[in-house]
Every structure is written in structure tokens, then in C-alpha cells.
Amino acid sequence: MSELDQLLESRGTSAQLGAYVTAACFSSQDQAAFALGDGTLRLGNEFEQVMAHDGAVLSLAAHPLGGFCSGGDDGRLMHITDCAVEISKFGAKWVEQLAVFSGKSPLLAVGVGKTVHLFAAAGEKLREMAHPSTVTGIVFDAKGKRLAASHYNGASLWFTGSRAAPRMLEWKGSHTGIAMHPEGTALVTTMQENSLHGWTLPEGKHMRMSGYPAKSESLGFTKSGRWLATAGAESVVLWPFFGGGPMGKAPTELGMGDGIVRRIACHPAHEVVAAGFDTGLTLLINVANEQIIPLCGPGRGAITALAWSATGSQLALGTETGFASLIDFTGQ
């Protein structure tokens, strides 16, 4: 056993699933799900197989009413419990983007081509939101009142309960993913050219964050909103969203590994970030005291999925070679 695998071996439940792990998440009941390139979901500590799609599973989220929802390259949006039930079908178009709001009036949002389809949790379609180009990322704000979508040349900000046209946040180039500040005061996108772009809300002031050696494929705000954690470098790049930052302030870089960070996942309760590298190395980073704890050593393929349970007691990780693990932090 590698020294770096100590926590994986002592606290992890692992399996070789035989297909590329495209996503991972936890249900509201803290059940884990791994989405695979072979069209299946694997559920819980037993990695129980449920057939979800005829083709790869492209998107995955916890369903507000229990279980999971998933989108596939078969053009279907599914609700997964111990079986798969179709919510909607979008022809031959891939269902690549999926976001959920689990509050008082729960919502599902699905990005298909240039359109975001908004559903009530029970499956009723509420509206369609058209965009100028393919939607590459979608996110709800913390109250479910606004939905933001990234696309070519910027992002669109919609009110979910209104038929009004969206607010366009423009910046030339290919925007590939999106995150919103927990307090709704900023919107940040990843870009094709190894950088991030952001806008303050409601002012719309531009924020430019660059200097990455690789494209940033994963980003998220820490629980407090003080830091934006990002992938795309040899360590986790943390931009300060306090004291007037991030503009004019240098980022903090923590968790230097042996490759490029591919995925990050911010803990739901603490200023802690999990980081998965293209080598398979996975680190746990305490931002407050800069403590770094290895979770999983390299050698199992690039980390392609990383997710915390709602309580932060478990971390799910998956790789391009089909390795998956659930690490339990209860009692830590």
C-alpha cells in the first residue's frame, strides 16, 4: 500500500466499475451515485447497477424528491431510484447540462443544445429559455430565484419565476462552465483559453483571472464564499472574494501535486477543498490552516468525478479508468 493511499484503504469502499466515471453525487438521503460512460449508474456502498441510458451518462444531480436525475447522449432526462423513469425526451440532442434547486419550490434545469428547459420537481415543464449558442453550464442561485447559463461570448442571467428576457453578461470567447457566489454577488465562468472571467452582481463589473497552464474544467466557491477554488494548475488556485478581491489580489495556491488538478469539490460546511489530479492523486486541503492530507495516490487514472455528501461526511471519487471510491470521514 502506498503511503498516499492510507485513508483510501482505511476509510474507503472502492470498486473497479469497468467504464469511465463521468460524474458523481449524493442524494438527499446521502446515498452515493456514480454515472458511467456505459449508460449505468452505480448506487450506494455496494455500487448497485441501474441501467439509466442507452449510451453514456453525461450529467447527474440529486433529484429534489429523492434519488437522482441524469441526462444522457440518448437525449433523455431520467429520474433514478431503484429503477429509471423518463422525465423528458429531447430527440437526438445530448442532455449535457443539469442543475437542481432543492428548496421550498424545487426545480430542475436541463441544458440541451441552445435551450435550457425548466421543470418543476414533479416533472411539469415550466418554460424554455433560448440562448444565442450552445449552453455549456447552468447554475441556480442559493434561493432558486435566478438561473445563470454560460455560452459563447458570455453568460445569461434569468429570473426563474418571470417571463422577462435575461440579463446578458458579455465577454468575447468560449465560456465552458459556470459558478455563482453563495450570496449571489458574483458570477464566474471557465474559458477555453486557460482563464476565468467573472462579473460582479448586480453591477456587472468585469473580473479577469488568468495564468493557468491548462484549461480549468472545475470550479466552486467555498462554503463562506471567501474563496473561489479552481482546477487547471499544478495546485488548487484559490481566488480571494473578500477585501476587495479578486481583482488586484494574487491567488493562493495550495496542494502542489504531480500533475494538473482536474476536479475540485468544496466541502459543504467547512473551508475545505478536495482536489483530484490527472494522475489520480487526490488531496484534502484545509484552506484556513493550509493543511494538506493525501486521500488517494496516483496510478488509477485521471480523476473525472469528485463530490461531497450534503453533510460532508463522505467523499465520492471516480476516474477515467472506472475506479470509484467512497471515503467516510465520520469520526474524523
Side-chain angles (χ1 to χ4, degrees), residues 86-131:
E86 185 180 292
I87 299 171
S88 191
K89 180 86 166 75
F90 301 96
K93 294 182 177 178
W94 291 8
V95 185
E96 291 188 89
Q97 309 301 331
L98 183 55
V100 300
F101 170 67
S102 299
K104 187 176 179 183
S105 299
L107 298 167
L108 309 177
V110 187
V112 184
K114 298 179 182 180
T115 304
V116 172
H117 304 261
L118 187 66
F119 294 86
E124 174 198 358
K125 184 183 280 193
L126 301 176
R127 61 187 294 207
E128 295 182 3
M129 304 171 180
H131 295 80

Side-chain angles (χ1 to χ4, degrees), residues 179-266:
M180 190 180 290
H181 191 277
E183 295 175 1
T185 54
L187 197 63
V188 181
T189 61
T190 53
M191 297 198 68
Q192 192 68 35
E193 59 267 23
N194 302 357
S195 64
L196 310 177
H197 194 81
W199 299 265
T200 60
L201 298 175
E203 303 88 357
K205 182 181 175 183
H206 292 283
M207 297 178 280
R208 184 78 171 153
M209 291 157 273
S210 57
Y212 291 83
K215 187 170 76 167
S216 185
E217 299 177 18
S218 182
L219 78 169
F221 284 94
T222 59
K223 172 64 175 176
S224 68
R226 285 175 61 81
W227 300 97
L228 176 69
T230 63
E234 295 91 345
S235 55
V236 175
V237 178
L238 294 140
W239 294 93
F241 274 69
F242 57 90
M247 292 300 87
K249 293 187 178 292
T252 295
E253 298 186 38
L254 296 176
M256 179 68 74
D258 56 353
I260 298 290
V261 178
R262 282 279 300 273
R263 295 287 181 273
I264 65 93
C266 294

Side-chain angles (χ1 to χ4, degrees), residues 127-138:
R127 61 187 294 207
E128 295 182 3
M129 304 171 180
H131 295 80
S133 56
T134 300
V135 172
T136 56
I138 48 178

Side-chain angles (χ1 to χ4, degrees), residues 32-97:
F34 295 88
L36 302 184
D38 64 5
T40 65
L41 261 58
R42 305 297 179 92
L43 306 181
N45 290 349
E46 303 297 322
F47 303 98
E48 180 185 347
Q49 180 173 308
V50 176
M51 197 69 211
H53 294 275
D54 183 16
V57 187
L58 302 178
S59 52
L60 179 70
H63 196 290
L65 302 182
F68 305 92
C69 43
S70 64
D73 64 9
D74 57 359
R76 301 165 80 204
L77 173 66
M78 307 295 289
H79 183 190
I80 314 291
T81 50
D82 52 356
C83 62
V85 176
E86 185 180 292
I87 299 171
S88 191
K89 180 86 166 75
F90 301 96
K93 294 182 177 178
W94 291 8
V95 185
E96 291 188 89
Q97 309 301 331

Side-chain angles (χ1 to χ4, degrees), residues 113-174:
K114 298 179 182 180
T115 304
V116 172
H117 304 261
L118 187 66
F119 294 86
E124 174 198 358
K125 184 183 280 193
L126 301 176
R127 61 187 294 207
E128 295 182 3
M129 304 171 180
H131 295 80
S133 56
T134 300
V135 172
T136 56
I138 48 178
V139 63
F140 285 102
D141 71 7
K143 296 180 179 178
K145 293 185 181 300
R146 294 180 297 175
L147 180 143
S150 57
H151 46 73
Y152 196 74
N153 285 342
S156 298
L157 188 60
W158 304 77
F159 282 99
T160 56
S162 165
R163 295 277 168 179
R167 178 181 179 185
M168 301 297 293
L169 298 164
E170 296 181 0
W171 185 261
K172 287 194 179 299
S174 180

